[in-house]
Amino acid sequence: MGNKLKTLPLHLMLLPGVILTLVFSYIPIMGIVIAFQKFVPSKGIFNSKWIGFDNFRYMLDMPNFSSVLWNTIFIAVLKIVAGLIIPIIFALLLNEVSGAFFKRTIQTTIYFPYFLSWVILGGILIDILSPSSGIVNQFLGWFGVKPVFFLGDDKWFPYTLVITDTWKGFGYGTIVYLAALTGIDQSLYEAATVDGASRWKQMLNVTLPGMLPIITLMTVLSLGNVLNAGFEQVFNLYSPMVYSTGDIIDTFVYRLGLVEAQYGVATAVGLFKSVISLVLIVVSNRLANRYAGYRIF
Amino acid sequence: MKTNRRIKSMALLGAAGMLVISACGNGGDNGAGTDNSSSANAENTTIDINAKYDPPVDITGWRFTESTYKYENGDTIENNIYTRTYASDLGINLKYDWTVPIEQFDQKMNVSIASGDLPDIMWLKNKQLTDLAENDMLYDLTDLFEKYASPLSKKIMLQDQASFDTAKIGGRLMALPRTSSAVDGLPILYVRTDWLTKLGLSEPKTMQQAMAVAEAFTTKDPDGNGKADTFGLALTKTFLTDSHFGTSGYFSGFHVHPGKWVKDDSGQLVYGSTQPGVKDALKQLQDLYAAGMLDQEFGVKDRAKVTESVAAGKVGLFYGSMSAPLSVIQKNVDNDPDAEWKALPLVSVDTEPATPIGIMPITTYYGVSKDSKHPEAIFKLLNFGMQGYDENAEENNEFGISENNIPVYLYNFIAADPAKKNLNAHNNAIKALEANDPSGLSAEDKGYYDRILSFRGGDRSNWGTERVFGTPSSFDVIDQYVQEDNYIFDAFYGSPTATMVEKNATLQKMEEEVFTKIVMGQSIDTFDKFVEDWKKLGGEQITKEVNEWAAKNK
């Protein structure tokens, strides 16, 4: 009883989040029925004609769809991998740095791009990635590399997306891992030192295992996002030149649903995406449980 | 134990976040308007069309705004001289359900329509107008127009009957069209004349001369800074559809019209992007690109980015619409005291003149919800808005451009312009300037007159107004098109056909992709494959439907 009273404030703090989730994520789920209808706005959800899986068949028949699906998976998987590894490496390196001021400065600097919107970054990236005048290509030029048209070359475009996205977000991930590092029991390091472990061995045998739960958690959570290749980023950076490798499900749904007003098909594509995401997160949770003894639900 | 709980709650939020689905709309009440008695009991007694509502009524609406709108004295789009006058003079309390920047309008409108929550009066585009009308959600305005529109409103709206009729569906008037000037949208060639003088070139009269100018601007260092940092012709990444830095005017020089529907020799409508001449035009663009006469990075640049290039004095030639001096050149003139541009008529590759193509001038329609309790209110707003066009109207700046140069007329909820309004403004301003007598000018025209005088007095910040409404100016060129009767319109202006709705997203994407890649160096033969694919992937069916529409609308 006393325990319950003590945790009540904590539960209340959760309330706004739960309400937001209900209102913006659970209630709109009812809209899914549109995917199975020939949706006519004036008739509404209750009176529109039921057409079963026709919207899905139409979606799969579209000549674009397979390439869009492939682009989405390719970009998202690369983003997940880079978005997991880079922050871990950075956190480990930062953890070895002793000067607190230096450490904080680095932390803040790399965190900064996280706060900029893609609309702003889009304009900046066009300038700094420009093959003729951009700073990146000038830098590459010193090493004799020919200028690369990062945003206009369909071979490079997906990688540009991955690198810029990782650059924007890795400061945030680094902070999460640094927090996990502070939770590791210091006596383990002392014991390791006594046993004669070098810093490298300490990192392998104490630090990494200590971080494993949070790494697993982040991986499982991010796998649910495997089909979210980042609408805002792609929308602000892509152009007709890179449609073949840059068009993803979300930009496709945007054009289909909000520009062309094909509500039914757009919902079908969105639902398709969500179902795959759900399957992936359940599977990855199982695997995490089996191989790492870790589960989130 | 504690960590476990924290992790669980995080997981819950994470999982919920993924389930966001791109569907909205709860279709709540879609009241299939059973009660439309308000129109049924229209008596035959004469109606006072100017009567004020007493007690006042609430009218809901939605609209877009543009980033160029400015406000003063704490005004907002919800509360300004127009809304206040609607309330005081007409007894109409206008309440916006929402207003959004124009860029977001399509999305917001589609979402609102999907949710079935319509205001009394809504701004619509052609597609949404047709959708709503076909689903019986709009009030039929045919009879009300006869009864409530003032003679002046009728006169202005019917000046261009073909445009007005685009608001009719099945012969019934389902919305009021926002009539405006069709010729305003015709493309014009802009060239930097101070560079021409510097390099000893004359104004281009043919496509070949224009390309020679582009080459000289690229290779002969017209800005004299010793660096090869200028280029000839400016394009955006959406050059096929852009009105500034687009290619509609360029393609006209080859007598083809991509993206528009045109009549072929047999009188059938064909899609302009598949005309054979397009290949030659693309080939030349490809050559220009290879020779460095186009910005090597135009493919990623939007209009704002290209405008930066113009402002920085990197470019001296582009195709734009009549507003270019005000919207995209003025900054260059501000930055560089020597910069001078001129608007020229389109140039052609052969002896046949280039014919500019425009689109039907109506992009906005005003629809009335079937459930509206006061469907006639829209006409009171319309009549009010049209008063300024009365020849006997007193000069009254309050509703036009304010003392501080703020265009308050943009706040007007229901607007319509006479068919050659801006061209007439140009001609009136010129006449007044020659006679040195502004007394006969309307309030709006007087504003242009004053700013042109201020430019001639040495104020470069009004350069744009002189180059649009003064002389030489973009309207000089438009006037020439009109005098020579040398312009055409997109021959298809109906709402999207069934197959267009289904396939256009795919076809347009393919067209943009193929054309852009050809310009940037892909084999020109890709064009032939594009034409084939276009037909196969729905274009043939669309052509059939468009011709059926044309047969019906003859």
Side-chain angles (χ1 to χ4, degrees):
Chain A
M1 183 69 199
N3 199 17
K4 267 191 187 160
L5 267 180
K6 241 192 250 167
T7 54
L8 187 66
L10 294 177
H11 281 93
L12 284 178
M13 282 165 71
L14 196 60
L15 200 60
V18 171
I19 291 173
L20 281 176
T21 312
L22 279 177
V23 172
F24 291 107
S25 299
Y26 276 78
I27 295 178
I29 287 178
M30 290 187 284
I32 290 175
V33 293
I34 293 175
F36 305 95
Q37 293 179 330
K38 185 172 172 47
F39 181 67
V40 177
S42 55
K43 292 182 183 151
I45 289 180
F46 297 105
N47 297 314
S48 285
K49 208 174 121 206
W50 197 260
I51 55 167
F53 284 93
D54 277 8
N55 283 331
F56 292 88
R57 250 172 246 134
Y58 172 62
M59 166 185 98
L60 294 171
D61 282 346
M62 289 184 121
N64 296 337
F65 190 72
S66 55
S67 72
V68 167
L69 184 62
W70 165 251
N71 292 343
T72 312
I73 296 173
F74 182 69
I75 294 169
V77 167
L78 283 184
K79 274 186 180 175
I80 287 174
V81 173
L84 276 170
I85 294 175
I86 307 280
I88 293 173
I89 295 175
F90 233 84
L92 289 174
L93 290 175
L94 265 186
N95 197 41
E96 301 296 318
V97 171
S98 50
F101 176 75
F102 181 69
K103 201 168 153 182
R104 290 253 170 77
T105 315
I106 297 275
Q107 230 174 323
T108 312
T109 316
I110 62 173
Y111 196 15
F112 179 68
Y114 181 79
F115 294 102
L116 292 176
S117 76
W118 278 114
V119 180
I120 295 169
L121 275 181
I124 297 174
L125 285 172
I126 288 172
D127 283 337
I128 65 176
L129 294 177
S130 151
S132 60
S133 58
I135 187 167
V136 173
N137 273 304
Q138 276 176 12
F139 178 75
L140 291 175
W142 295 339
F143 300 96
V145 181
K146 269 200 200 150
V148 180
F149 199 175
F150 290 103
L151 293 172
D153 185 327
D154 52 11
K155 284 194 280 303
W156 278 100
F157 188 70
Y159 304 104
T160 312
L161 288 178
V162 172
I163 293 168
T164 52
D165 183 63
T166 310
W167 167 68
K168 185 176 190 285
F170 85 103
Y172 175 78
T174 305
I175 287 176
V176 172
Y177 291 119
L178 277 174
L181 283 173
T182 56
I184 297 174
D185 191 346
Q186 287 302 315
S187 62
L188 291 173
Y189 287 105
E190 285 158 25
T193 322
V194 171
D195 290 345
S198 66
R199 288 210 84 140
W200 177 246
K201 289 270 179 198
Q202 283 181 27
M203 194 180 86
L204 286 184
N205 294 308
V206 180
T207 316
L208 269 183
M211 281 168 81
L212 204 59
I214 195 83
I215 293 176
T216 319
L217 173 70
M218 297 291 270
T219 314
V220 173
L221 286 181
S222 67
L223 275 173
N225 276 329
V226 76
L227 293 187
N228 281 335
F231 171 76
E232 264 186 276
Q233 183 195 16
V234 178
F235 186 71
N236 282 298
L237 292 177
Y238 79 160
S239 61
M241 283 182 292
V242 294
Y243 275 170
S244 54
T245 57
D247 201 16
I248 57 168
I249 291 183
D250 288 322
T251 48
F252 185 63
V253 169
Y254 165 81
R255 291 204 306 271
L256 212 56
L258 291 179
V259 181
E260 302 267 320
Q262 298 194 56
Y263 306 107
V265 186
T267 312
V269 180
L271 178 59
F272 172 83
K273 187 183 129 176
S274 301
V275 169
I276 293 189
S277 299
L278 182 67
V279 170
L280 280 170
I281 200 168
V282 170
V283 169
S284 59
N285 187 43
R286 286 274 163 80
L287 290 177
N289 186 25
R290 179 171 300 168
Y291 295 109
Y294 192 85
R295 55 195 301 175
I296 52 171
F297 54 87
Chain B
M1 186 59 205
K2 255 187 184 162
T3 37
N4 247 344
R5 193 181 297 134
R6 198 182 66 214
I7 288 165
K8 265 188 189 160
S9 57
M10 270 178 75
L12 174 69
L13 291 175
M18 286 176 325
L19 288 169
V20 182
I21 301 230
S22 68
C24 43
N26 41 17
D29 78 315
N30 42 20
T34 45
D35 175 37
N36 276 322
S37 48
S38 51
S39 67
N41 63 14
E43 307 100 32
N44 286 330
T45 50
T46 45
I47 317 155
D48 177 8
I49 58 171
N50 297 318
K52 181 178 168 181
Y53 285 109
D54 190 26
V57 295
D58 283 351
I59 296 292
T60 52
W62 74 43
R63 67 173 292 159
F64 58 75
T65 60
E66 294 185 55
S67 57
T68 48
Y69 286 20
K70 287 183 191 143
Y71 303 95
E72 58 185 343
N73 305 328
D75 276 0
T76 60
I77 196 64
E78 284 88 14
N79 178 13
N80 54 56
I81 182 159
Y82 277 90
T83 57
R84 289 191 292 268
T85 315
Y86 294 154
S88 64
D89 289 14
L90 307 174
I92 293 177
N93 294 319
L94 180 62
K95 294 200 159 57
Y96 289 116
D97 285 353
W98 49 260
T99 66
V100 290
I102 187 165
E103 297 81 11
Q104 294 158 27
F105 180 65
D106 278 23
Q107 298 171 36
K108 183 76 181 170
M109 172 171 56
N110 283 334
V111 168
S112 297
I113 291 173
S115 74
D117 189 13
L118 301 182
D120 291 309
I121 300 174
M122 55 211 121
W123 290 24
L124 297 171
K125 292 192 167 179
N126 192 312
K127 175 174 164 38
Q128 284 76 11
L129 164 67
T130 322
D131 282 356
L132 288 172
E134 277 172 1
N135 292 307
D136 197 25
M137 294 173 80
L138 291 180
Y139 203 95
D140 182 345
L141 300 175
T142 320
D143 301 331
L144 292 178
F145 182 74
E146 289 308 319
K147 234 178 272 172
Y148 283 95
S150 69
L152 179 67
S153 301
K154 282 182 189 157
K155 189 177 132 202
I156 288 171
M157 300 205 86
L158 294 172
Q159 261 182 18
D160 180 356
Q161 183 81 37
S163 294
F164 183 78
D165 287 349
T166 60
K168 289 186 179 166
I169 290 168
R172 309 297 292 175
L173 184 68
M174 299 314 290
L176 292 180
R178 175 174 187 155
T179 55
S180 67
S181 175
V183 293
D184 281 6
L186 298 175
I188 291 166
L189 179 62
Y190 288 92
V191 63
R192 246 191 105 160
T193 45
D194 62 318
W195 284 5
L196 286 181
T197 319
K198 202 166 183 176
L199 300 177
L201 296 163
S202 53
E203 288 170 12
K205 298 250 171 351
T206 66
M207 179 67 82
Q208 289 76 11
Q209 286 170 7
M211 293 307 114
V213 167
E215 191 177 5
F217 282 0
T218 310
T219 55
K220 294 198 175 146
D221 193 23
D223 59 350
N225 67 353
K227 283 187 230 156
D229 58 352
T230 50
F231 54 93
L233 183 69
L235 300 181
T236 60
K237 66 174 171 182
T238 47
F239 63 95
L240 287 168
T241 49
D242 239 325
S243 55
H244 294 308
F245 314 120
T247 46
S248 163
Y250 168 83
F251 281 110
S252 292
F254 285 82
H255 316 298
V256 289
H257 307 283
K260 311 273 198 315
W261 290 87
V262 286
K263 278 210 172 83
D264 67 3
D265 298 334
S266 64
Q268 288 286 301
L269 294 188
V270 292
Y271 186 53
S273 304
T274 59
Q275 288 169 284
V278 174
K279 199 171 170 180
D280 300 332
L282 282 175
K283 180 77 184 71
Q284 181 173 296
L285 279 180
Q286 191 183 55
D287 295 343
L288 292 182
Y289 183 81
M293 284 146 75
L294 304 181
D295 184 347
Q296 299 298 297
E297 288 149 41
F298 80 89
V300 298
K301 293 192 172 169
D302 58 15
R303 193 190 288 179
K305 278 272 168 207
V306 182
T307 305
E308 284 172 23
S309 299
V310 174
K314 300 280 172 230
V315 64
L317 198 68
F318 70 90
Y319 290 91
S321 80
M322 62 87 189
S323 66
L326 281 162
S327 55
V328 298
I329 306 179
Q330 179 70 46
K331 260 194 198 138
N332 179 234
V333 175
D334 291 342
N335 290 345
D336 181 350
D338 298 325
E340 188 54 65
W341 292 72
K342 195 175 171 194
L344 302 174
L346 299 183
V347 292
S348 162
V349 283
D350 48 32
T351 49
E352 193 187 332
T355 302
I357 188 166
I359 49 172
M360 272 292 167
I362 295 176
T363 53
T364 302
Y365 294 87
Y366 307 116
V368 176
S369 162
K370 187 142 198 183
D371 298 331
S372 175
K373 290 199 185 67
H374 303 282
E376 71 291 341
I378 190 173
F379 292 101
K380 297 191 187 268
L381 295 168
L382 173 74
N383 295 341
F384 171 79
M386 292 301 101
Q387 281 169 17
Y389 291 121
D390 193 335
E391 285 150 19
N392 306 318
E394 321 166 18
E395 191 175 323
N396 185 351
N397 258 335
E398 273 184 303
F399 294 97
I401 293 177
S402 81
E403 282 175 17
N404 301 328
N405 238 339
I406 305 226
V408 292
Y409 67 86
L410 294 169
Y411 312 154
N412 196 354
F413 182 50
I414 303 291
D417 289 327
K420 287 173 183 168
K421 166 178 167 280
N422 286 327
L423 184 55
N424 290 337
H426 159 74
N427 287 329
N428 294 341
I430 297 281
K431 251 181 248 154
L433 286 163
E434 277 166 9
N436 222 343
D437 171 24
S439 60
L441 293 178
S442 74
E444 193 187 333
D445 299 354
K446 174 80 164 35
Y448 303 138
Y449 174 87
D450 288 343
R451 259 168 283 155
I452 291 171
L453 276 190
S454 127
F455 167 74
R456 295 186 178 177
D459 177 4
R460 296 258 291 174
S461 68
N462 281 321
W463 179 90
T465 309
E466 163 80 327
R467 289 289 172 266
V468 173
F469 292 103
T471 189
S473 68
S474 51
F475 269 111
D476 282 342
V477 176
I478 298 224
D479 200 25
Q480 188 183 331
Y481 294 152
V482 173
Q483 298 299 331
E484 292 169 2
D485 198 20
N486 178 31
Y487 61 94
I488 52 171
F489 289 124
D490 192 344
F492 177 74
Y493 48 86
S495 59
T497 68
T499 314
M500 273 188 192
V501 169
E502 213 172 278
K503 309 281 187 189
N504 248 4
T506 306
L507 291 177
Q508 261 163 17
K509 177 177 155 180
M510 184 171 79
E511 179 176 333
E512 281 181 297
E513 193 175 343
V514 170
F515 282 27
T516 309
K517 285 195 161 171
I518 288 178
V519 174
M520 299 189 80
Q522 202 171 57
S523 160
I524 187 72
D525 294 328
T526 340
F527 176 75
D528 301 324
K529 186 167 179 306
F530 158 76
V531 174
E532 222 171 274
D533 287 348
W534 186 85
K535 285 184 182 152
K536 222 170 34 202
L537 293 173
E540 207 142 13
Q541 181 63 24
I542 290 176
T543 308
K544 206 175 126 219
E545 290 167 356
V546 166
N547 277 296
E548 280 164 12
W549 169 89
K552 241 193 305 179
N553 283 277
K554 251 176 193 157

